[in-house]
Amino acid sequence: MIQAFGLTSNPRQELPPAVDDVSFEAPTGRVTALLGARASGKTTAVRLMLELQQGRGITHFRGRPLHRIPHPSQEVGVLLGEVQGHPSRTVRGQLRMLCAAAGVPVQRADEVLEVVGIVSLREQRLGTLSRGMDRRLGLACALLADPHTLVLDGPADGLSAREGKWLHGILRAHASLGGTVLFTTDDAKEAARTADRVVTLEEGRVIADQCVADFSRTRLRPRVAVRSPHATRLGVLLAKEARATQRSVEVVNEGGNRLSVYGSNCADIGETAFRHSILVHQLADEVGDAGPAVSVPARTRTEEVRAAEPTVPQPAVADTSSATDAPLPVLEPSEETAAPSALTRAHARSAQEPPQSTGTFVPLPVDADLGGASSSASAPAPPSDEQGTQASRTPSGPASAPPPASLSPLPPPITTHPAPSPLRPLRYEVRRATGIATGYLTAAVVLVASAIVAVLLARTGRTPQAHLLAAWPQELPLPPAALGAGLLGAFAFGDEFRHPALAADRGTVPRRLGLLCAKLVVAAAVAVSLAFLVVASDAVLLHLVYGEELTKVPADWLSTFASWLALVVGCAWAGVLAAGVFRSTTAGLAAVLAVPILVVPLVQKALEGPSVRTAAGLPSRLRDLALVHWPFGAERVLAAGLRMIAQPVGSALMLSLTALLCAYLLTVLRPRAR
């Protein structure tokens, strides 16, 4: 159950708030539509409910606000706009990555692909999906963690009639298993066909909260769909008789042999056709549009005026469908009961509810894995007409007790909260890094550039062997491998800021220590692998071109190679931390380049400047410290590490990493302190 109390957005300069004191309830086991014209405040209300936008009010999901739920994605499935993800990532890769973020088994990705019917597109890139397939993938992301509640903003926008019918069938199936469904729409006919309850917004306020039967009767104009080979003649006769009897009847010629007649009924139209010997192929009552727009006077915020407002819904809402729209298709029972193939293969039985009062919808058979309840859960009985006619601004029932903050003249403030950290951060980071070709292309470019530089340096004969194998000329501040590792480290955060993948309903990627540790581990592993590949490929190439003279193992190979690994890993970590602090890939790469260009000269100037006491003997004292006997010969590794730190590049890199880590921790702790 969803209970929204007093949702109010912050004022927009001199304009009124987009949402003003919106309260409603979406019951469990029902599909609730939030209806309104464009710019009526539907999306703002949804964002306030999900704590994505600051304002006032509170929303309870089964009795708890969203920030009090330990794992929001397992309680609320959200679809807002298009699917957030890297365009070159595959559909299956996106879902498998989100499985690690939500803490569900990876097999769940294949299950939801079958449920939404896009198994054949599992290797398709996100950037190549059509609008309908993107909607299906978004629904799969919302269903991934098997949530109890679904909140969808305009899920059927831009879809064809067939795709929209399929989408609402899935939502009906989820609600019939005991789940809660809330979706927004600007089409009154769509709300009447697919929802059990309709909450109507106009100018940011609730003007009606009704069951679908009362909504169709009081806020929509009924119409009669007529098909006849003599439609034009019949339309003229109907208009003539309406004028003669002084009745308000509107006849709209839909083109060809179709008519839409407003303000009449099947009996009167049939009698007219019979009297004039006109053949009729179809005569059916249907749900029409919302009628012409009715201007609602502005309401003041004083309690006296609110108390004087009538509780009866307004006679009409903003026009969402013109009178010239094509008539609604009559849905055959065979079409309505056709379920997705994955659902019918999984279960033989079907959960089916009585059709709505409009006679245009029959729920689809459902799968027990779609909803948050067990397959034996049955939906409660549909609301009666007496219960649905009450249009209330506040939720009713035993669970609608006002929150403690309701004693205040204003509802409690809504504070945006960052996205939660992945439940399996290391697995998430591995799938994120290996799911696109950027890392592989960067590694290939680094290997090719290192090989070319190593061959060119070997021709001069003035480069030491260690720098030769690392392809590090003195003219470059860093070798290609270190620059590549830093770029890959910057992509660890920068790529996600451009294409958010973590909990799209909760904003951008969070700054959490668990996620940071996972990114540092994966970045270090990638950097070490790249360092090994560069040295190995350069050694093999130099051996083939110039012989084995340039590939002899030096005596101090351990300390040299440890320094090489420390340099590459340090650059990768600098890229990760800088991109996380500044939320930019460019800033991550700039931090890597700043170490040899800016930080090293500053460190050298600080150590060589005039002072009473100098640190000139620090390297020798560090080596003396490493002479202590450690088990398993670890003193040699320690000596290599200390030698690396004692060098200007090593000390500058350590200083940069320390500063970036402190800045990252500050950005993490500051929101918690607030």
Side-chain angles (χ1 to χ4, degrees), residues 439-454 470-471 479-488 527 530-531 533-535 537-538 564 568:
Y440 303 106
L441 292 177
T442 304
V445 171
V446 168
L447 291 177
V448 172
S450 299
I452 295 175
V453 171
L483 292 175
L487 181 60
L488 292 178
L530 189 61
L533 290 175
V534 166
V535 172
S537 61
D538 291 349
W564 167 243
V568 178

Side-chain angles (χ1 to χ4, degrees), residues 11-334:
R12 303 165 294 174
Q13 296 180 354
E14 297 181 356
L15 300 176
V19 172
D20 186 10
D21 195 16
V22 170
S23 300
F24 63 90
E25 180 178 298
T28 301
R30 290 290 178 264
V31 178
T32 304
L34 195 60
L35 173 67
R38 296 188 182 275
S40 61
K42 304 186 302 296
T43 300
T44 303
V46 170
R47 293 181 62 84
L48 290 172
M49 292 170 56
L50 298 174
E51 299 176 359
L52 296 177
Q53 182 172 330
Q54 292 184 349
R56 305 197 74 87
I58 189 171
T59 303
H60 286 167
F61 298 90
R62 291 205 291 182
R64 293 179 297 174
L66 197 63
H67 63 273
R68 296 291 185 184
I69 300 176
H71 307 301
S73 61
Q74 297 182 2
E75 175 66 27
V76 183
V78 176
L79 175 59
L80 299 176
E82 297 181 353
V83 176
Q84 299 291 330
H86 198 285
S88 64
R89 198 181 303 277
T90 63
V91 169
R92 190 184 185 198
Q94 176 79 4
L95 291 176
R96 288 168 68 92
M97 181 180 62
L98 294 181
C99 282
V104 298
V106 69
Q107 294 80 7
R108 181 66 178 167
D110 297 325
E111 294 176 3
V112 295
L113 283 176
E114 291 188 8
V115 168
V116 300
I118 54 174
V119 179
S120 59
L121 302 179
R122 58 180 177 268
E123 300 302 328
Q124 195 84 6
R125 306 290 178 181
L126 297 185
T128 62
L129 294 178
S130 63
R131 176 67 176 178
M133 295 303 103
D134 183 85
R135 294 284 87 186
R136 290 181 181 241
L137 177 59
L139 185 59
C141 295
L143 293 172
L144 193 62
D146 196 15
H148 174 271
T149 304
L150 291 179
V151 178
L152 307 100
D153 185 23
D157 292 348
L159 299 184
S160 64
R162 183 181 182 86
E163 291 174 332
K165 183 173 66 174
W166 172 89
L167 175 64
H168 289 294
I170 291 291
L171 301 184
R172 173 67 59 183
H174 183 85
S176 66
L177 289 174
T180 304
V181 178
L182 173 69
F183 72 94
T184 67
T185 180
D186 57 2
D187 188 354
K189 293 182 288 186
E190 177 188 359
R193 285 196 306 263
T194 60
D196 298 312
R197 194 163 196 85
V198 181
V199 180
T200 307
L201 293 182
E202 184 171 325
E203 296 182 356
R205 305 188 66 135
V206 176
I207 62 172
D209 187 350
Q210 307 165 285
C211 69
V212 68
D214 296 325
F215 171 78
S216 300
R217 184 175 64 253
T218 61
R219 306 197 68 82
L220 295 182
R221 298 190 302 170
R223 72 177 178 187
V224 180
V226 182
R227 290 179 183 268
S228 171
H230 309 286
T232 304
R233 180 187 171 201
L234 179 59
V236 172
L237 293 173
L238 291 174
K240 182 178 179 181
E241 290 186 358
R243 288 193 300 270
T245 58
Q246 296 183 353
R247 290 186 299 134
S248 177
V249 176
E250 180 183 359
V251 181
V252 178
N253 192 336
E254 305 289 356
N257 60 351
R258 298 184 302 172
L259 292 177
S260 292
V261 183
Y262 298 90
S264 185
N265 53 58
C266 292
D268 293 343
I269 297 174
E271 291 177 1
T272 301
F274 177 76
R275 286 196 304 268
H276 295 85
S277 302
I278 296 177
L279 178 64
V280 175
H281 291 163
Q282 180 191 15
L283 200 61
D285 287 317
E286 291 185 352
V287 176
D289 56 20
V294 178
S295 60
V296 180
R299 307 175 186 176
T300 62
R301 296 181 57 92
T302 60
E303 295 297 333
E304 293 79 9
V305 176
R306 288 185 181 180
E309 289 179 357
T311 57
V312 181
Q314 299 295 329
V317 296
D319 187 11
T320 57
S321 175
S322 64
T324 58
D325 288 343
L328 294 177
V330 178
L331 304 179
E332 300 295 336
S334 59

Side-chain angles (χ1 to χ4, degrees), residues 454-532:
V455 171
L456 295 178
L457 290 177
R459 294 186 60 184
T460 61
R462 296 190 301 268
T463 306
Q465 186 182 15
H467 282 247
L468 188 61
L469 293 176
W472 188 357
Q474 296 180 355
E475 292 78 8
L476 291 179
L478 288 173
L483 292 175
L487 181 60
L488 292 178
F491 279 141
F493 268 120
D495 176 68
E496 287 179 338
F497 294 134
R498 292 195 306 271
H499 311 286
L502 260 182
D505 55 314
R506 303 288 291 151
T508 56
V509 181
R511 292 185 173 118
R512 298 293 178 89
L513 295 182
L515 183 62
L516 174 65
C517 293
K519 290 183 179 296
L520 292 179
V521 170
V522 174
V526 172
V528 169
S529 302
L530 189 61
F532 270 104

